Coordinates of all heavy atoms in Angstrom, one line a residue:
L1 N 1.8 -1.6 11.9 CA 2.6 -0.9 10.9 C 2.8 0.6 11.2 O 3.7 1.2 10.7 CB 1.9 -1.0 9.5 CG 1.6 -2.4 9.0 CD1 0.8 -2.4 7.7 CD2 2.9 -3.2 8.9
Q2 N 1.9 1.1 12.0 CA 2.1 2.6 12.4 C 3.4 2.8 13.1 O 3.8 2.0 14.0 CB 0.9 3.0 13.2 CG -0.3 3.1 12.5 CD -1.5 3.7 13.3 OE1 -1.4 3.6 14.5 NE2 -2.5 4.2 12.7
G3 N 4.1 3.9 12.8 CA 5.3 4.2 13.5 C 6.5 3.7 12.8 O 7.6 4.0 13.2
H4 N 6.4 2.8 11.9 CA 7.6 2.2 11.2 C 8.1 3.3 10.2 O 7.4 3.9 9.5 CB 7.3 1.0 10.4 CG 8.5 0.2 9.9 ND1 9.2 0.7 8.9 CD2 9.0 -0.9 10.4 CE1 10.2 -0.2 8.7 NE2 10.1 -1.1 9.6
S5 N 9.4 3.6 10.3 CA 10.0 4.7 9.6 C 9.9 4.6 8.1 O 10.0 5.6 7.4 CB 11.4 5.0 10.0 OG 12.2 3.8 9.7
D6 N 9.8 3.4 7.6 CA 9.8 3.2 6.1 C 8.4 3.1 5.5 O 8.2 2.9 4.3 CB 10.5 1.9 5.7 CG 12.0 2.0 6.0 OD1 12.6 3.1 5.7 OD2 12.6 1.1 6.5
I7 N 7.4 3.2 6.4 CA 6.0 3.0 5.9 C 5.2 4.3 6.2 O 5.2 4.8 7.3 CB 5.3 1.8 6.6 CG1 6.1 0.5 6.3 CG2 3.9 1.6 6.1 CD1 5.6 -0.7 7.1
T8 N 4.5 4.8 5.2 CA 3.5 5.9 5.4 C 2.2 5.3 5.1 O 1.9 4.9 4.0 CB 3.9 7.0 4.5 OG1 5.2 7.5 4.7 CG2 2.9 8.2 4.7
I9 N 1.3 5.3 6.1 CA -0.1 4.9 5.9 C -0.9 6.1 5.6 O -1.0 7.0 6.4 CB -0.6 4.1 7.1 CG1 0.3 2.9 7.4 CG2 -2.1 3.7 6.9 CD1 -0.1 2.2 8.7
K10 N -1.6 6.1 4.4 CA -2.4 7.3 4.0 C -3.8 7.0 4.2 O -4.6 7.9 4.1 CB -2.1 7.6 2.6 CG -0.7 8.0 2.3 CD -0.2 9.2 3.2 CE -0.7 10.5 2.7 NZ -0.2 11.6 3.5
S11 N -4.3 5.8 4.6 CA -5.7 5.6 4.9 C -6.1 6.4 6.1 O -5.3 6.5 7.1 CB -5.9 4.1 5.2 OG -5.5 3.3 4.1
K12 N -7.3 6.9 6.1 CA -7.7 7.7 7.2 C -8.5 6.9 8.2 O -9.2 6.0 7.8 CB -8.7 8.8 6.7 CG -8.0 9.7 5.6 CD -7.2 10.8 6.4 CE -6.8 11.8 5.4 NZ -5.4 12.1 5.4
P13 N -8.4 7.2 9.5 CA -9.2 6.5 10.5 C -10.7 6.7 10.2 O -11.1 7.8 9.8 CB -8.8 7.2 11.8 CG -7.5 7.9 11.6 CD -7.5 8.2 10.1
L14 N -11.4 5.6 10.4 CA -12.9 5.6 10.2 C -13.6 6.2 11.4 O -14.6 6.8 11.3 CB -13.3 4.2 9.9 CG -14.7 4.0 9.4 CD1 -15.0 4.8 8.1 CD2 -15.0 2.5 9.2
D15 N -13.0 6.0 12.6 CA -13.6 6.5 13.8 C -12.6 6.9 14.8 O -11.4 6.8 14.6 CB -14.6 5.5 14.4 CG -13.9 4.2 14.8 OD1 -12.7 4.2 15.1 OD2 -14.6 3.2 14.9
K16 N -13.0 7.4 16.0 CA -12.1 7.9 17.0 C -11.2 6.8 17.6 O -10.2 7.1 18.3 CB -12.8 8.7 18.1 CG -13.8 7.8 18.9 CD -14.5 8.6 19.9 CE -15.5 7.6 20.7 NZ -16.2 8.3 21.7
N17 N -11.5 5.6 17.4 CA -10.8 4.5 18.0 C -9.6 4.1 17.0 O -8.9 3.1 17.4 CB -11.7 3.2 18.3 CG -12.7 3.5 19.3 OD1 -12.3 4.2 20.3 ND2 -13.9 3.0 19.2
G18 N -9.5 4.7 15.9 CA -8.4 4.4 15.0 C -8.7 3.2 14.1 O -7.8 2.7 13.5
N19 N -9.9 2.8 14.0 CA -10.3 1.7 13.0 C -10.1 2.3 11.6 O -10.6 3.4 11.3 CB -11.7 1.2 13.3 CG -11.8 0.5 14.6 OD1 -10.9 -0.2 15.0 ND2 -12.8 0.8 15.3
Y20 N -9.6 1.5 10.7 CA -9.3 2.0 9.3 C -10.4 1.6 8.4 O -11.0 0.6 8.6 CB -7.9 1.6 8.9 CG -6.9 2.4 9.6 CD1 -6.4 2.2 10.8 CD2 -6.4 3.6 8.9 CE1 -5.5 3.0 11.5 CE2 -5.5 4.4 9.6 CZ -5.1 4.1 10.8 OH -4.2 4.9 11.4
V21 N -10.5 2.3 7.3 CA -11.4 2.0 6.2 C -11.2 0.5 5.8 O -10.1 0.1 5.5 CB -11.2 2.9 5.0 CG1 -12.1 2.6 3.9 CG2 -11.4 4.4 5.4
P22 N -12.3 -0.3 5.8 CA -12.1 -1.7 5.6 C -11.8 -2.2 4.2 O -11.7 -3.3 3.9 CB -13.4 -2.3 6.1 CG -14.4 -1.2 5.8 CD -13.7 0.1 6.1
F23 N -11.8 -1.2 3.2 CA -11.7 -1.7 1.8 C -10.2 -1.7 1.3 O -10.0 -2.3 0.3 CB -12.5 -0.7 0.9 CG -13.9 -0.7 1.3 CD1 -14.5 0.4 1.8 CD2 -14.7 -1.9 1.2 CE1 -15.8 0.4 2.2 CE2 -16.0 -1.9 1.6 CZ -16.6 -0.7 2.1
G24 N -9.3 -1.1 2.0 CA -7.9 -1.2 1.6 C -7.0 -0.4 2.4 O -7.4 0.6 3.1
L25 N -5.7 -0.8 2.4 CA -4.7 -0.1 3.1 C -3.8 0.6 2.0 O -3.2 0.0 1.2 CB -3.8 -1.1 3.8 CG -2.6 -0.6 4.6 CD1 -3.1 0.4 5.7 CD2 -1.9 -1.8 5.2
F26 N -3.8 1.9 2.1 CA -3.1 2.7 1.1 C -1.7 3.1 1.7 O -1.7 3.8 2.7 CB -3.9 4.0 0.7 CG -3.2 4.9 -0.2 CD1 -2.7 4.5 -1.4 CD2 -3.1 6.3 0.1 CE1 -2.0 5.4 -2.3 CE2 -2.5 7.2 -0.8 CZ -2.0 6.7 -1.9
L27 N -0.6 2.6 1.0 CA 0.7 2.9 1.5 C 1.5 3.6 0.5 O 1.3 3.5 -0.7 CB 1.4 1.5 1.8 CG 0.8 0.5 2.7 CD1 1.5 -0.8 2.7 CD2 0.8 1.1 4.1
L28 N 2.5 4.4 1.0 CA 3.5 5.0 0.2 C 4.8 4.4 0.5 O 5.2 4.4 1.7 CB 3.6 6.6 0.4 CG 2.3 7.3 0.0 CD1 2.5 8.8 0.4 CD2 2.0 7.2 -1.4
V29 N 5.5 3.8 -0.5 CA 6.7 3.1 -0.2 C 7.8 3.5 -1.2 O 7.5 3.6 -2.4 CB 6.4 1.5 -0.4 CG1 7.7 0.7 -0.2 CG2 5.3 1.1 0.5
E30 N 9.0 3.8 -0.7 CA 10.1 4.3 -1.5 C 10.4 3.4 -2.7 O 10.5 3.8 -3.8 CB 11.3 4.5 -0.6 CG 12.4 5.2 -1.4 CD 12.0 6.6 -1.8 OE1 11.3 7.3 -1.2 OE2 12.5 7.0 -2.9
K31 N 10.5 2.1 -2.4 CA 10.9 1.1 -3.4 C 9.6 0.3 -3.8 O 9.6 -0.9 -3.6 CB 12.0 0.2 -3.0 CG 13.3 0.9 -2.7 CD 14.4 0.0 -2.2 CE 15.6 0.8 -1.9 NZ 16.7 -0.1 -1.3
R32 N 8.6 1.0 -4.3 CA 7.3 0.4 -4.5 C 7.3 -0.8 -5.4 O 6.7 -1.8 -5.1 CB 6.3 1.5 -5.1 CG 4.9 1.1 -5.1 CD 4.3 0.5 -6.4 NE 4.9 1.1 -7.6 CZ 4.4 2.1 -8.2 NH1 3.4 2.8 -7.7 NH2 4.9 2.5 -9.3
D33 N 8.0 -0.8 -6.5 CA 8.0 -1.9 -7.4 C 8.6 -3.2 -6.8 O 8.1 -4.3 -7.0 CB 8.6 -1.5 -8.8 CG 7.8 -0.5 -9.5 OD1 6.7 -0.3 -9.2 OD2 8.4 0.2 -10.4
L34 N 9.7 -3.0 -6.1 CA 10.3 -4.1 -5.4 C 9.4 -4.6 -4.3 O 9.3 -5.8 -4.1 CB 11.7 -3.6 -4.8 CG 12.5 -4.7 -4.1 CD1 13.0 -5.7 -5.1 CD2 13.8 -4.0 -3.5
F35 N 8.8 -3.7 -3.6 CA 7.8 -4.1 -2.6 C 6.6 -4.9 -3.2 O 6.2 -5.9 -2.7 CB 7.3 -2.8 -1.9 CG 6.3 -3.0 -0.8 CD1 6.6 -3.8 0.3 CD2 5.1 -2.4 -0.8 CE1 5.7 -4.0 1.3 CE2 4.1 -2.6 0.2 CZ 4.4 -3.4 1.3
Y36 N 6.1 -4.4 -4.3 CA 5.0 -5.1 -5.0 C 5.4 -6.5 -5.3 O 4.7 -7.5 -5.1 CB 4.6 -4.3 -6.2 CG 3.6 -5.0 -7.1 CD1 2.2 -4.7 -6.8 CD2 3.9 -5.8 -8.1 CE1 1.2 -5.4 -7.6 CE2 2.9 -6.4 -8.9 CZ 1.6 -6.2 -8.6 OH 0.6 -6.8 -9.3
D37 N 6.6 -6.7 -5.9 CA 7.1 -8.0 -6.3 C 7.2 -8.9 -5.1 O 6.9 -10.1 -5.2 CB 8.4 -7.9 -7.1 CG 8.2 -7.3 -8.5 OD1 7.1 -7.2 -9.0 OD2 9.2 -6.8 -9.0
Y38 N 7.7 -8.4 -4.0 CA 7.9 -9.1 -2.8 C 6.5 -9.6 -2.3 O 6.4 -10.8 -1.9 CB 8.6 -8.2 -1.7 CG 8.8 -8.9 -0.4 CD1 9.9 -9.7 -0.3 CD2 8.0 -8.7 0.7 CE1 10.2 -10.4 0.9 CE2 8.2 -9.3 1.9 CZ 9.3 -10.2 2.0 OH 9.6 -10.8 3.2
L39 N 5.5 -8.7 -2.3 CA 4.2 -9.2 -1.8 C 3.7 -10.3 -2.7 O 3.1 -11.2 -2.2 CB 3.3 -8.0 -1.8 CG 3.5 -6.9 -0.8 CD1 2.5 -5.7 -1.0 CD2 3.4 -7.4 0.6
V40 N 3.8 -10.1 -4.0 CA 3.3 -11.1 -5.0 C 4.0 -12.5 -4.7 O 3.3 -13.5 -4.6 CB 3.5 -10.7 -6.4 CG1 3.3 -11.8 -7.4 CG2 2.7 -9.5 -6.8
D41 N 5.3 -12.5 -4.4 CA 6.0 -13.7 -4.1 C 5.4 -14.4 -2.8 O 5.5 -15.6 -2.7 CB 7.5 -13.5 -3.9 CG 8.2 -13.2 -5.2 OD1 7.6 -13.5 -6.3 OD2 9.3 -12.7 -5.1
K42 N 4.8 -13.6 -1.9 CA 4.2 -14.1 -0.7 C 2.7 -14.3 -0.8 O 2.0 -14.6 0.2 CB 4.5 -13.1 0.5 CG 6.0 -12.8 0.7 CD 6.7 -14.0 1.1 CE 8.2 -13.6 1.4 NZ 9.0 -14.8 1.7
G43 N 2.2 -14.2 -2.0 CA 0.7 -14.5 -2.2 C -0.2 -13.3 -1.9 O -1.4 -13.5 -1.8
I44 N 0.4 -12.1 -1.8 CA -0.4 -10.9 -1.6 C -0.4 -10.0 -2.8 O 0.7 -9.6 -3.2 CB 0.1 -10.1 -0.4 CG1 0.1 -11.0 0.9 CG2 -0.7 -8.8 -0.1 CD1 0.9 -10.5 2.0
I45 N -1.5 -9.7 -3.4 CA -1.6 -9.0 -4.6 C -2.0 -7.5 -4.3 O -3.2 -7.3 -3.9 CB -2.5 -9.6 -5.7 CG1 -2.2 -11.1 -5.9 CG2 -2.5 -8.8 -7.0 CD1 -0.7 -11.3 -6.4
G46 N -1.1 -6.6 -4.4 CA -1.5 -5.2 -4.2 C -1.9 -4.6 -5.5 O -1.9 -5.2 -6.6
E47 N -2.4 -3.4 -5.4 CA -2.8 -2.6 -6.6 C -2.1 -1.3 -6.7 O -2.1 -0.5 -5.8 CB -4.3 -2.4 -6.6 CG -4.9 -1.6 -7.8 CD -6.4 -1.4 -7.7 OE1 -7.1 -2.2 -7.1 OE2 -6.8 -0.3 -8.2
I48 N -1.4 -1.1 -7.8 CA -0.7 0.1 -8.1 C -1.7 1.1 -8.6 O -2.4 0.9 -9.7 CB 0.5 -0.1 -9.0 CG1 1.5 -1.0 -8.3 CG2 1.1 1.3 -9.4 CD1 2.6 -1.4 -9.2
Q49 N -1.9 2.2 -8.0 CA -2.8 3.2 -8.4 C -2.1 4.5 -8.9 O -0.9 4.6 -8.8 CB -3.7 3.6 -7.2 CG -4.3 2.4 -6.5 CD -5.6 2.6 -5.9 OE1 -6.0 3.7 -5.7 NE2 -6.3 1.5 -5.7
W50 N -2.8 5.3 -9.5 CA -2.2 6.6 -10.0 C -1.2 6.4 -11.1 O -0.2 7.1 -11.2 CB -1.6 7.4 -8.9 CG -2.5 8.1 -8.0 CD1 -3.3 7.6 -7.1 CD2 -2.8 9.5 -8.0 NE1 -4.1 8.6 -6.5 CE2 -3.7 9.8 -7.0 CE3 -2.3 10.6 -8.8 CZ2 -4.2 11.0 -6.8 CZ3 -2.8 11.9 -8.5 CH2 -3.7 12.1 -7.5
L51 N -1.5 5.4 -12.0 CA -0.6 5.3 -13.2 C -1.0 6.5 -14.1 O -2.2 6.7 -14.5 CB -0.8 4.0 -13.9 CG -0.3 2.8 -13.1 CD1 -0.7 1.5 -13.9 CD2 1.1 2.9 -12.8
L52 N 0.0 7.3 -14.4 CA -0.3 8.6 -15.1 C -0.2 8.4 -16.6 O 0.8 7.9 -17.1 CB 0.6 9.7 -14.6 CG 0.5 10.0 -13.1 CD1 1.5 11.0 -12.7 CD2 -0.9 10.5 -12.8
P53 N -1.1 9.0 -17.4 CA -1.0 8.9 -18.9 C -0.1 10.1 -19.3 O -0.5 11.1 -19.7 CB -2.4 9.2 -19.3 CG -3.0 10.0 -18.2 CD -2.4 9.5 -17.0
L54 N 1.2 9.9 -19.2 CA 2.2 10.9 -19.5 C 2.2 11.4 -20.9 O 2.8 12.4 -21.2 CB 3.6 10.4 -19.1 CG 3.7 10.0 -17.6 CD1 5.1 9.5 -17.3 CD2 3.4 11.2 -16.7
D55 N 1.6 10.6 -21.8 CA 1.6 11.0 -23.2 C 0.6 12.2 -23.4 O 0.7 12.9 -24.4 CB 1.1 9.9 -24.1 CG 2.0 8.7 -24.1 OD1 3.2 8.9 -23.7 OD2 1.5 7.6 -24.5
Y56 N -0.2 12.5 -22.5 CA -1.3 13.5 -22.7 C -1.1 14.8 -21.9 O -1.6 15.8 -22.2 CB -2.6 12.9 -22.3 CG -3.0 11.7 -23.1 CD1 -2.9 10.4 -22.6 CD2 -3.3 11.8 -24.4 CE1 -3.2 9.3 -23.4 CE2 -3.6 10.7 -25.2 CZ -3.6 9.5 -24.7 OH -3.8 8.4 -25.4
Y57 N -0.2 14.7 -20.8 CA 0.0 16.0 -20.1 C 1.2 15.8 -19.2 O 1.7 14.7 -19.0 CB -1.2 16.3 -19.2 CG -1.4 15.5 -18.0 CD1 -1.1 16.1 -16.7 CD2 -1.8 14.2 -18.1 CE1 -1.3 15.3 -15.6 CE2 -2.0 13.4 -16.9 CZ -1.7 14.0 -15.7 OH -1.9 13.2 -14.5
T58 N 1.7 16.8 -18.6 CA 2.8 16.8 -17.7 C 2.3 17.0 -16.3 O 1.8 18.1 -16.0 CB 3.9 17.9 -18.0 OG1 4.3 17.7 -19.4 CG2 5.1 17.8 -17.1
P59 N 2.3 16.0 -15.5 CA 1.7 16.1 -14.1 C 2.6 16.9 -13.2 O 3.8 17.0 -13.4 CB 1.6 14.6 -13.6 CG 2.7 13.9 -14.4 CD 2.8 14.6 -15.7
G60 N 2.0 17.4 -12.1 CA 2.8 18.1 -11.1 C 3.6 17.1 -10.2 O 3.5 15.9 -10.3
E61 N 4.5 17.7 -9.4 CA 5.4 16.9 -8.5 C 4.6 16.0 -7.6 O 5.0 14.8 -7.4 CB 6.2 17.8 -7.7 CG 7.5 18.3 -8.4 CD 8.4 19.1 -7.4 OE1 8.6 18.6 -6.3 OE2 8.7 20.2 -7.8
D62 N 3.5 16.4 -7.0 CA 2.8 15.6 -6.1 C 2.2 14.4 -6.8 O 2.2 13.3 -6.3 CB 1.7 16.4 -5.4 CG 2.2 17.4 -4.4 OD1 3.4 17.3 -4.0 OD2 1.4 18.3 -4.1
A63 N 1.6 14.6 -8.0 CA 1.1 13.5 -8.7 C 2.1 12.5 -9.2 O 1.9 11.3 -9.1 CB 0.3 14.0 -10.0
L64 N 3.3 13.0 -9.5 CA 4.4 12.1 -9.9 C 4.9 11.3 -8.7 O 5.1 10.1 -8.8 CB 5.6 12.9 -10.5 CG 5.5 13.4 -11.9 CD1 6.6 14.3 -12.3 CD2 5.4 12.2 -12.9
F65 N 5.0 11.9 -7.6 CA 5.4 11.2 -6.4 C 4.4 10.1 -6.0 O 4.8 8.9 -5.8 CB 5.5 12.2 -5.2 CG 5.9 11.5 -3.9 CD1 7.3 11.3 -3.7 CD2 5.0 11.0 -3.0 CE1 7.7 10.6 -2.5 CE2 5.4 10.4 -1.8 CZ 6.8 10.2 -1.6
L66 N 3.1 10.4 -6.0 CA 2.1 9.4 -5.7 C 2.1 8.3 -6.8 O 2.0 7.1 -6.4 CB 0.7 10.0 -5.7 CG 0.3 10.8 -4.5 CD1 -1.0 11.5 -4.7 CD2 0.4 10.0 -3.3
S67 N 2.3 8.6 -8.0 CA 2.4 7.6 -9.1 C 3.5 6.6 -8.9 O 3.4 5.5 -9.2 CB 2.5 8.3 -10.4 OG 2.5 7.4 -11.5
K68 N 4.6 7.1 -8.3 CA 5.8 6.2 -8.2 C 5.9 5.5 -6.9 O 6.7 4.6 -6.7 CB 7.1 7.1 -8.3 CG 7.3 7.7 -9.7 CD 8.5 8.5 -9.7 CE 8.7 9.1 -11.1 NZ 9.9 10.0 -11.2
H69 N 5.1 5.9 -5.9 CA 5.3 5.3 -4.5 C 4.0 4.7 -3.9 O 4.1 4.1 -2.9 CB 5.7 6.5 -3.6 CG 7.0 7.0 -3.9 ND1 7.2 8.1 -4.8 CD2 8.3 6.6 -3.5 CE1 8.5 8.3 -4.9 NE2 9.2 7.5 -4.1
N70 N 2.9 4.7 -4.6 CA 1.7 4.2 -3.9 C 1.4 2.8 -4.2 O 1.8 2.2 -5.2 CB 0.5 5.1 -4.4 CG 0.0 4.7 -5.7 OD1 -0.7 3.7 -5.9 ND2 0.4 5.4 -6.7
L71 N 0.7 2.2 -3.2 CA 0.3 0.8 -3.4 C -0.9 0.6 -2.5 O -0.9 1.0 -1.3 CB 1.4 -0.2 -3.0 CG 1.0 -1.7 -3.2 CD1 1.1 -2.0 -4.7 CD2 1.9 -2.6 -2.4
M72 N -2.0 0.0 -3.0 CA -3.2 -0.3 -2.2 C -3.2 -1.8 -2.0 O -3.1 -2.6 -2.9 CB -4.4 0.1 -3.0 CG -5.7 -0.3 -2.3 SD -6.2 0.6 -0.9 CE -6.8 2.1 -1.7
I73 N -3.4 -2.2 -0.7 CA -3.6 -3.6 -0.4 C -5.1 -3.7 0.0 O -5.5 -3.1 1.0 CB -2.7 -4.1 0.7 CG1 -1.2 -3.9 0.3 CG2 -3.0 -5.5 1.1 CD1 -0.2 -4.2 1.3
H74 N -5.8 -4.5 -0.8 CA -7.3 -4.6 -0.5 C -7.5 -5.5 0.8 O -6.8 -6.4 1.0 CB -8.0 -5.2 -1.7 CG -7.9 -4.3 -2.9 ND1 -8.8 -3.3 -3.0 CD2 -7.1 -4.3 -3.9 CE1 -8.5 -2.6 -4.1 NE2 -7.5 -3.2 -4.7
C75 N -8.5 -5.1 1.5 CA -9.0 -5.9 2.6 C -10.5 -5.7 2.8 O -11.0 -4.7 2.5 CB -8.2 -5.5 3.9 SG -8.3 -3.8 4.4
D76 N -11.1 -6.8 3.1 CA -12.6 -6.7 3.4 C -13.0 -7.8 4.3 O -12.2 -8.5 4.9 CB -13.3 -6.7 2.0 CG -13.1 -7.9 1.2 OD1 -13.1 -9.0 1.8 OD2 -13.0 -7.8 0.0
Q77 N -14.3 -8.0 4.4 CA -14.9 -8.9 5.4 C -14.5 -10.3 5.1 O -14.7 -11.2 6.0 CB -16.4 -8.7 5.5 CG -17.1 -9.2 4.2 CD -17.2 -8.1 3.2 OE1 -16.6 -7.1 3.3 NE2 -18.1 -8.3 2.2
R78 N -13.9 -10.7 4.0 CA -13.5 -12.0 3.7 C -12.3 -12.4 4.5 O -12.0 -13.6 4.7 CB -13.2 -12.3 2.2 CG -14.5 -12.2 1.4 CD -14.1 -12.3 -0.1 NE -13.4 -11.0 -0.4 CZ -12.9 -10.8 -1.6 NH1 -12.9 -11.7 -2.6 NH2 -12.3 -9.7 -1.9
Y79 N -11.5 -11.4 5.0 CA -10.2 -11.7 5.6 C -10.5 -11.7 7.1 O -11.1 -10.8 7.7 CB -9.2 -10.7 5.2 CG -9.0 -10.6 3.7 CD1 -9.2 -9.4 3.1 CD2 -8.7 -11.7 3.0 CE1 -9.0 -9.3 1.7 CE2 -8.6 -11.6 1.6 CZ -8.7 -10.4 1.0 OH -8.6 -10.3 -0.4
D80 N -9.9 -12.7 7.8 CA -10.0 -12.7 9.3 C -8.8 -12.1 9.9 O -7.8 -11.7 9.2 CB -10.3 -14.1 9.8 CG -9.2 -15.1 9.4 OD1 -8.1 -14.7 9.1 OD2 -9.5 -16.3 9.5
Q81 N -8.7 -12.1 11.2 CA -7.6 -11.6 12.0 C -6.3 -12.2 11.6 O -5.3 -11.6 11.4 CB -7.9 -11.7 13.5 CG -6.8 -11.0 14.3 CD -6.9 -9.5 14.3 OE1 -7.9 -9.0 14.1 NE2 -5.8 -8.9 14.6
K82 N -6.3 -13.6 11.5 CA -5.1 -14.3 11.1 C -4.5 -13.9 9.8 O -3.3 -13.7 9.6 CB -5.4 -15.8 11.1 CG -4.2 -16.7 10.8 CD -4.6 -18.2 10.8 CE -3.5 -19.0 10.4 NZ -3.8 -20.4 10.3
E83 N -5.4 -13.7 8.8 CA -4.9 -13.3 7.5 C -4.4 -11.8 7.5 O -3.4 -11.6 6.8 CB -6.1 -13.4 6.5 CG -6.4 -14.9 6.2 CD -7.7 -15.1 5.4 OE1 -8.7 -14.4 5.7 OE2 -7.7 -16.0 4.6
M84 N -5.1 -11.0 8.2 CA -4.6 -9.6 8.3 C -3.3 -9.5 9.0 O -2.4 -8.7 8.6 CB -5.6 -8.7 8.9 CG -6.9 -8.6 8.2 SD -6.7 -8.1 6.4 CE -6.1 -6.5 6.6
C85 N -3.1 -10.3 10.0 CA -1.8 -10.4 10.7 C -0.7 -10.9 9.8 O 0.5 -10.4 9.8 CB -1.8 -11.2 12.0 SG -2.8 -10.4 13.3
Y86 N -1.0 -11.9 8.9 CA -0.1 -12.4 8.0 C 0.4 -11.3 7.0 O 1.6 -11.1 6.8 CB -0.7 -13.5 7.2 CG 0.1 -14.0 6.0 CD1 1.3 -14.8 6.2 CD2 -0.2 -13.6 4.7 CE1 2.1 -15.2 5.1 CE2 0.6 -14.0 3.6 CZ 1.7 -14.8 3.8 OH 2.5 -15.2 2.8
V87 N -0.6 -10.5 6.5 CA -0.2 -9.4 5.6 C 0.7 -8.4 6.4 O 1.7 -7.9 5.8 CB -1.5 -8.7 5.1 CG1 -1.2 -7.4 4.4 CG2 -2.3 -9.6 4.2
A88 N 0.3 -8.0 7.6 CA 1.2 -7.1 8.3 C 2.6 -7.6 8.6 O 3.6 -6.9 8.4 CB 0.5 -6.7 9.7
D89 N 2.7 -8.9 8.9 CA 4.0 -9.5 9.1 C 4.8 -9.5 7.8 O 6.0 -9.3 7.9 CB 3.8 -11.0 9.6 CG 3.3 -11.0 11.1 OD1 3.4 -10.0 11.8 OD2 2.8 -12.1 11.5
I90 N 4.2 -9.8 6.7 CA 4.9 -9.8 5.4 C 5.4 -8.4 5.1 O 6.5 -8.2 4.7 CB 4.0 -10.4 4.3 CG1 3.7 -11.9 4.5 CG2 4.6 -10.2 2.9 CD1 5.0 -12.8 4.6
I91 N 4.5 -7.4 5.3 CA 4.9 -6.0 5.1 C 6.1 -5.7 5.9 O 7.1 -5.1 5.5 CB 3.8 -5.1 5.3 CG1 2.7 -5.3 4.3 CG2 4.3 -3.6 5.4 CD1 1.4 -4.5 4.6
L92 N 6.1 -6.0 7.2 CA 7.2 -5.7 8.1 C 8.5 -6.4 7.8 O 9.6 -5.9 7.9 CB 6.8 -6.0 9.6 CG 5.8 -5.0 10.2 CD1 5.3 -5.5 11.5 CD2 6.3 -3.6 10.2
S93 N 8.3 -7.7 7.3 CA 9.5 -8.5 6.9 C 10.2 -7.8 5.7 O 11.5 -7.9 5.6 CB 9.1 -9.9 6.7 OG 8.4 -10.1 5.5
F94 N 9.5 -7.2 4.8 CA 10.1 -6.6 3.7 C 11.1 -5.5 4.2 O 12.2 -5.3 3.6 CB 9.1 -6.0 2.7 CG 9.6 -5.1 1.6 CD1 10.1 -5.8 0.5 CD2 9.7 -3.8 1.7 CE1 10.7 -5.0 -0.6 CE2 10.3 -3.0 0.7 CZ 10.7 -3.6 -0.4
F95 N 10.7 -4.7 5.1 CA 11.5 -3.6 5.6 C 12.6 -4.0 6.6 O 13.4 -3.1 6.9 CB 10.6 -2.5 6.2 CG 9.7 -1.9 5.2 CD1 8.3 -2.3 5.1 CD2 10.2 -1.0 4.3 CE1 7.5 -1.7 4.2 CE2 9.4 -0.4 3.3 CZ 8.0 -0.8 3.3
S96 N 12.6 -5.3 6.9 CA 13.8 -5.7 7.7 C 14.8 -6.4 6.9 O 15.8 -6.9 7.5 CB 13.2 -6.6 8.8 OG 12.7 -7.8 8.3
I97 N 14.6 -6.5 5.6 CA 15.6 -7.1 4.7 C 16.9 -6.3 4.7 O 16.9 -5.1 4.5 CB 15.0 -7.3 3.3 CG1 13.9 -8.3 3.4 CG2 16.1 -7.9 2.4 CD1 13.1 -8.5 2.0

């Protein structure tokens, strides 16, 4: 997924080899809600984070941007290489539509 112009990966490398934190892949996507629905249709359930309680305060630009564009795709030791490749292929297929 790295290097694709429509995908920003915000997860940090865990070590110098570029291995990523095993608990989730944090992405920023321009059409996040459409992307979320696409993943659900393919059996991948992402988590939208940073939903802001706008009734209580006015957030800054950065917080608003994150709120509108972020999606976390969970991953852990239950998923094998085949399943992770499936997730990557589905993500890439969304951006080739």
